[in-house]
Amino acid sequence: QMLVYTPVSISPQKRHETDAEAQLFLTSNSNNNSNGHNNTLPNYQSMTPTTSSNGHDACEHPSEANGHNTPIISASDNRRRKLIRIQKKDPPKYLVKERKFEVNALCRVFLGKPGLYVYTLFLFAYVYCALWAYTSVFSSAMARAFPMSSNGDDASGDYTRYAVLFAGVVIPLSCMELEEQIPVQVTLSFCRFIMVVLMVSTGYSCAEEARQLKENTAYQPVPLVRVEGLQQMLPILVFATMYHYSIPGLSAPVADKTQLGLIFRATGVFSGLAYALVGITLSNVFGDAIEQSSNLNWEGYTGGTGVWDDETGTMVNVAWWARAISLYVVCFPALDVMSAFPLNAITLGDNIMVMVYGRKIGQVMKDRSKVRLFRLIAAIPPIIMAIFIRQLGEITDIAGTTGFIIIFVFPPLLYLVGRQTAFTRHYSRWTHYSTVLASRKVSAILVGVFGGVIFLYVLTLVIMADA
C-alpha cells in the first residue's frame, strides 16, 4: 500500500494572502514514529525523501526511485498525518475610518507633488467661482425682494449692502466644523425638497400671470435641443451637480460609514432628477422670459388672486398663501446658499492647508487659529469679487469648465494609480463601496477620456464665444 502525494511549491507570503488559490499541504503530528521510519514531511518549500513500505527511498527525482516524478509516503506514516485544506476567502473590503483624507492629500500620495499642485489649482478656481456665485445669488434675490432704499431705485447699492450682510453670516460659519452645523444642514435639505415641489407645481400659473401683466408680451417657446447653447449648458450642469471634492468632509460626521455609498448614490439620483424636472418644466412654461436665477420669476406671483391697482401699479388683495409661496421661492435660494457657502469654504481652506503643510497636516489641523486663517483665505476674496462682477452666467461658465477636470479626470486617475499600487503591494483592490460597473479599469479609463475631451471642447467654445 502506497500513498502518492504531489507537492505544490508556494511561498509563505503567497500562502497567507487572502485571495490565494486553495492549496493542499500536510502537517505531521510528531517528528519520529515507532517503527523507525523517517517521519519528515514534504512541504510547500522543499521535498524531503521518505521511506516506502518496500524499502526504497522516495525522492522527488524519478531516477532516484521508481521512475515516477512523485514522492512516496508509507501508509503507516500517512496515518500520523492530517490533511488540511486552505479555503479561498473573499478579499477584505476596506472601510472609511475616522481619519479624513482630502482629495488633494490622495493626489500627493498617488500622483506626487505635481498632481497635488494641479488638482489644488483647479479646485481653487472652481470653489472660488462657486462662492462668488453664491454671493451673487443671495445679494440679487434679497435686493429685489427687500430693497433697503426708500424708493427702491438704488438696486446697485442694495446689492452691495446685502453682500456685506451675507459676509457677516457665512464667514463665521466657515470657521466652524461641519459637525456643529448638522441641524441646520438637515433642515435646509428638507426645505430644498419643498422648493422643488412649489416651483414645479406653480410654474405654469406664474408664467401666465407674468404674460398677462406685461403688455405686448407673447409667449416665445425655447427649443428642446439647441446645439449652439451646449457650451453654456454643460458648465452649468457640472456646477449644479458637483459635490465630489467635498465627499471627505461630508463623510466625516456620518456615524455609520457603511452607508456612505448608498447616501451618495441617492444624493446623485435625487439631484439629477430634481434638476431635470425643474429645468425642463420651467423652460417650457416661461420660454425666453425666464430669469437667469429662475426663482426671481415668482417675485409677483399671486396664484390667481388679487386685483390690479392702477394708482399704485401693483396687485392688491392677494391671498396670504400666494404671498407666502412668492416669498419662499424668491428668498429661499438666498438663504440656502448660506448653508452651501460654508461647506465649500471649509473644503477649500482644508485643501489649501494640505498643499502648504503636506505630511504635517494631521498636527496642523489641531491648531484652530491656523485652520481659521486658511478658511478666511478661502471665504473672503470671492465675496469681494462678487461685489464688482455680478453676472451669474459668466461666473458659472468659468466654474463649470474647471469642474470637468475635478469631477471626470482626477477621480478615475486616482483610482487607476491606487488600484495598481494595491496590486503591487499585495493589498485588496476592493472596498466596501466598490460596485460591479464603476470599480473597473475600463470604466475609469472611459470616464477620464470623456472628461478630458469634454473639457477641451467646452473651453474652446467658451473662448470662441468671448472672441
Side-chain angles (χ1 to χ4, degrees), residues 449-460:
V449 171
F450 169 79
V453 171
I454 203 69
F455 168 74
L456 295 176
Y457 172 71
V458 173
L459 182 62
T460 302

Side-chain angles (χ1 to χ4, degrees), residues 56-91:
H56 292 289
D57 285 337
C59 305
E60 66 174 321
H61 297 291
S63 60
E64 298 176 0
N66 59 356
H68 297 286
N69 193 18
T70 55
I72 301 175
I73 302 174
S74 67
S76 59
D77 285 341
N78 180 52
R79 287 193 295 269
R80 298 176 180 273
R81 294 158 173 80
K82 295 187 299 182
L83 185 64
I84 299 177
R85 180 182 297 273
I86 299 179
Q87 299 291 342
K88 182 178 179 181
K89 297 181 180 180
D90 293 332

Side-chain angles (χ1 to χ4, degrees), residues 174-440:
S174 300
C175 295
M176 298 171 60
E177 294 300 327
L178 292 180
E179 291 83 354
E180 302 168 334
Q181 305 179 35
I182 290 177
V184 176
Q185 299 294 343
V186 172
T187 302
L188 290 175
S189 296
F190 179 72
C191 293
R192 293 182 191 111
F193 178 78
I194 297 176
M195 177 79 171
V196 172
V197 173
L198 289 177
M199 293 184 75
V200 172
S201 61
T202 63
Y204 179 78
S205 60
C206 181
E208 286 296 318
E209 290 176 7
R211 283 190 285 271
Q212 292 175 3
L213 291 175
K214 296 179 181 179
E215 298 180 358
N216 301 323
T217 301
Y219 173 69
Q220 298 294 331
V222 294
L224 184 62
V225 177
R226 189 174 60 184
V227 178
E228 56 268 24
L230 194 63
Q231 75 272 15
Q232 295 177 325
M233 185 273 291
L234 288 176
I236 294 174
L237 178 64
V238 171
F239 178 80
T241 58
M242 179 173 163
Y243 62 92
H244 305 70
Y245 57 92
S246 294
I247 285 179
L250 295 173
S251 302
V254 178
D256 186 2
K257 298 295 194 296
T258 62
Q259 300 299 316
L260 288 175
L262 176 62
I263 291 172
F264 288 120
R265 280 194 294 271
T267 300
V269 170
F270 175 77
S271 299
L273 293 176
Y275 276 121
L277 181 62
V278 171
I280 293 174
T281 302
L282 299 189
S283 62
N284 183 52
V285 299
F286 285 103
D288 63 350
I290 194 169
E291 298 276 358
Q292 274 196 336
S293 296
S294 60
N295 64 301
L296 297 180
N297 285 92
W298 272 259
E299 185 178 2
Y301 178 71
T302 64
T305 64
V307 294
W308 179 258
D309 187 355
D310 292 329
E311 294 183 2
T312 60
T314 59
M315 296 291 292
V316 296
N317 299 325
V318 178
W320 66 268
W321 57 266
R323 291 189 181 277
I325 291 176
S326 174
L327 187 64
Y328 185 86
V329 174
V330 170
C331 296
F332 174 72
L335 300 176
D336 189 35
V337 296
M338 282 188 171
S339 68
F341 190 102
L343 297 179
N344 286 270
I346 290 171
T347 299
L348 180 59
D350 292 353
N351 275 266
I352 297 175
M353 288 187 68
V354 171
M355 183 183 68
V356 173
Y357 291 102
R359 298 180 182 273
K360 299 179 181 179
I361 187 62
Q363 299 176 351
V364 175
M365 287 294 291
K366 299 177 182 179
D367 188 341
R368 297 303 304 165
S369 60
K370 291 184 178 179
V371 172
R372 294 190 186 97
L373 173 62
F374 279 91
R375 291 181 180 177
L376 291 175
I377 293 174
I380 294 177
I383 297 176
I384 297 175
M385 291 188 293
I387 294 176
F388 296 100
I389 302 178
R390 306 176 181 183
Q391 294 299 318
L392 187 60
E394 296 179 4
I395 302 170
T396 54
D397 284 348
I398 300 172
T401 304
T402 59
F404 285 114
I405 299 297
I406 300 173
I407 192 175
F408 288 120
V409 175
F410 274 97
L413 184 60
L414 287 171
Y415 171 78
L416 291 172
V417 178
R419 175 190 174 95
Q420 183 60 38
T421 303
F423 176 77
T424 303
R425 300 188 179 184
H426 305 293
Y427 290 107
S428 173
R429 288 170 286 179
W430 296 91
T431 71
H432 187 80
Y433 317 101
S434 299
T435 60
V436 176
L437 179 61
S439 304
R440 290 290 184 270

Side-chain angles (χ1 to χ4, degrees), residues 105-116 119 410 413-414 417-418:
L106 300 178
C107 291
R108 178 178 59 81
V109 172
F110 294 109
L111 307 179
K113 288 188 176 180
L116 165 67
Y119 176 84
F410 274 97
L413 184 60
L414 287 171
V417 178

